[in-house]
Amino acid sequence: MTSKEIRASFLKYFERNGHRIVPSSPLVPHGDPTLLFTNAGMNQFKDTLLGKETREYRRATTAQKCMRVSGKHNDLENVGPSLRHHTFFEMLGNFSFGDYFRKEAIPFAWTLLTEEWKIPQDRLFVTVFRGESGIPRDDEAYDLWSKYLPLDRLRELGSDDNFWTMGDTGPCGRCSEIYFHRGAEVPCAEEAAGTGCRGVECSCDRYVEIWNNVFMEFDRQPDGTLNPLPALSIDTGMGLERVTAVLQGKLSNYDTDAFALLLDRIGELAGLSYPMTAIETQTVRLDVPAATDGPEAVNTSMRVVADHMRATTFLVADDVFPSNEGRGYVLRKIMRRAMRHGKRLGLERPLLHLLVDTVVDEYGQAYPELTAGRDRIRQKVLEEERRFDSLIASGLPRLDEVLSRAATQGGKVSGDEAFKLYDTYGLPRDFIEDMVESRRLTLDSEGFQQAMESQRKKARAGSKFVAPDVAVWKALEGKAEELARAGDSFQGYDATELETQIVGLFDTSHQEVESLKAGESGFIALSATPFYLESGGQVSDIGSISGAKGLAQVTGVLRGPDKWPRLHSVNVVSDVLKRRDFVIAHVTTEVRDATRRNHTATHLLHAALRSILGPEVKQKGSLVAPDRLRFDFLHSNPVTREQQIQIERLVNEQVMKNTPVQTESRNTEEAIAAGAMALFGEKYGAKVRVVSIPGFSQELCGGTHVRATGDIGPFLILSESGVAAGVRRIEAITGMHAVQWAQATRHSYEELLATIAEQKQLRAALEALRNAVFHIDTEGALAGLRGAVVSVSRLQEDSKRLGRELQQAKMKLAIPSGRLGVVGGVPTVSITGPVLVPEDGEDIGEGRKLVRLPVGDLDRESLRALVDSYRDRIKSGVVVLASHSDGKVSIVVGVTPDLTKRIPAGQVVKQLAPIVGGGGGGRPDFAEAGGKDASKIGEMLAASRGVIEKMLSSS
């Protein structure tokens, strides 16, 4: 069977056995701050296992995208040398949510492996939990497995192997792992060393784990306590790549069809083949660095590129982009490791983006988000390749500085400095080591490793996602059973005022109290509430809670522990409010109305963006507040002003139609199938609220909305900007805020136009423009605008012309004329007066020329132009110019292309700048420096010849 057939066979087998096939969740876990990436099939079912949510089904099966590059599940360093470790992989799994347990799960597994897939029974070994750390032995699993295989193939192991947990906290339980025995002919290092193979506990490739059946029983707390789960459940995980290797009779996952097309494409681009043999290495591509290290170096690099390109393609499809922090940092690390190994295969120019199509073609049918994002993924990979090449180019001069300094200070390269080149400037470690070796220097490897470990600790601390802190309320759960019974009853869709009852009161230290008095602050829980709790980007409501005597202002709403009512943050302004009081909860109508105008406008904006920019636009975040709305979305390029006008017009057209806004509760899968927009990666329950503007927008949304689009009023875009790689942001306003902004803007424009019109050259054009605009005369406005543009253009051209003439005049005055005399090795020059300069420079041997002179006060561009002019004139040589202004010195050094290796401009300027009390550097062909002592310019110019002649003689 092919890997695709194995995936389909697994899912269909469990579907026949009453399981719902559930699509893979994204690689970025939504709503789970404890995980960096999805690392197991059960991640998307975590809340179901914990009893926090219910689903329409109690049995499920998935093919789940997984990443293991952080925390306890970190396989990155093993990828390449290992034949079966990956950063990205697919996990097949079956799940039960309180429906069945060991007695059904174990027969399901055995039947699939031995009857469906025909794996020989005598090749299968099983492990169960032997009991450890107060957790009892798994007697039931042992007894069940003993019915299927002899006891000599049934082993008992400890917590490291047979107690599974997804992280430091959360669902966990004893587990049973299934191994496949490849055969005694597979080499074992421990056996070769004389200690003997340890079977399923050995690190050799004779035994490969293919399936883990986890019997979910506990919920691990932050202090390590194991609380029982609400229901006994099943979570299993089978690596598709590993089981494919077993079923196809391959020792390596990379020898299966899952990687064949990708490795073939890599080989095609690099002019190599996989796997490379010793004979091929002697005859093929000896120019490839990896090939000179032997065939396994080539094979390792090809495996790294193949694995990392799969991971890259899937991560970018799930909206993870390269950056310097969090998930983006991990992706950048993976991509650059692939690029480094690509260069070891001879792929010097950006080529890895060409592998994206191969990954998409192979996996697009199973994971449609790949096909939908093909162009965007390819573009992101290409951008990162170019950025990496640029970093290499920019990092080389810095590496050269470090190596040159080490050469003069004992020949040892600092580990801290080398790590900075690796971590900050992106230079690969092996590249740094090669350059160190070529200069006959040594690297402080221990210092480098210490710096790396320090950075790893910082990265681990920075990537440790922390759950929202509701721990302060946890201690009260047992004391406030009434709150749990009350639940969270939100009735704000239909009402902004509600008669309800206080069921819980807390002071600011979260202690339960019987009353809150005037002047006190705290939290109130209600049996039912009209107050919206911040969610989906929409901010919380504000308002008041009033009783027979007391009155409190509601300043916000927050979420307490699971199953509690929402908690209203209050300031009591009069008398007293007591527990069990009947009260009126009143939402400030003006604020609620403004908020829901912006929320419905956000839906219209989303639909308009997809209409104008294309269906690849996807929401990445939003803010819906009373005074404004903010919408973040995926889009590669800035939204042009013309596109913004189109989007703004399209939204306002929908507003003027005054279309009734429809809301309904629907089955989640049916709603999405009917075309309702859902946030990719968002977790939805079995039922969802669908908000529709018929014929234009349909989204899953729990927020509050207007009755009809006309209630929104005018819609205006205020700004468009970039907030991250590939993510754009639009901020907009509606209703009276839009009216007020337009009025203020009109007033400001009138004042500005009046001021500008005082300029005689613009008066007539701008007067026509102002009259046309405020009389809604489009043609007149355009004519006035054209006239203003013509007038401004003429002024700009005059200004540029005068600027050019001024610079030319300054250069003529700055450039000395005649010939340069030298007395005692020091040029006889006057800093302020003209000097004699040879037109073709001074002869410094081998037909090379040197031009060294002071010039007048010139800006940087003029100095650069003057250097270029002299380099063109002398053909081969060096130009050293010094300028001064207000006591400050500017030095520029230019070197012709034939001498940049022998006389790097950056090295010249570094030796000369200290003479005038400064410093600087630059490229081999051009460098700049500054200084403080203008009186030393003559001395510096005199010294330049000796510096340059020494470089020529030593190279």
Side-chain angles (χ1 to χ4, degrees), residues 662-731:
Q662 299 177 358
T663 60
E664 61 178 328
S665 177
R666 298 185 63 181
N667 174 281
T668 303
E669 294 181 3
E670 291 177 359
I672 294 175
M677 288 292 298
L679 285 183
F680 186 57
E682 181 75 65
K683 293 176 71 174
Y684 297 101
K687 292 286 186 179
V688 290
R689 189 166 178 265
V690 181
V691 177
S692 305
I693 295 95
F696 192 73
S697 169
Q698 186 181 27
E699 294 193 28
L700 308 187
C701 180
T704 60
H705 289 269
V706 297
R707 292 178 293 273
T709 57
D711 295 346
I712 295 171
F715 169 88
L716 292 175
I717 293 176
L718 294 184
S719 66
E720 190 277 345
S721 60
V723 292
V727 180
R728 309 299 301 177
R729 169 174 291 172
I730 281 180
E731 296 197 59

Side-chain angles (χ1 to χ4, degrees), residues 22 48 130 170 194 375 628 704 759 855:
V22 178
T48 311
R130 70 184 173 205
D375 293 340
R628 71 195 189 283
T704 60
Q759 306 298 319
V855 295

Side-chain angles (χ1 to χ4, degrees), residues 32 81 132 221 231 242 314 362 537 574 639 659-660 839 909 914 921 933:
D32 189 348
E132 196 172 273
Q221 303 302 301
R242 288 192 184 184
F314 274 89
E362 179 69 19
S574 67
V639 183
T659 307
E839 293 183 0
V909 83
D933 191 351

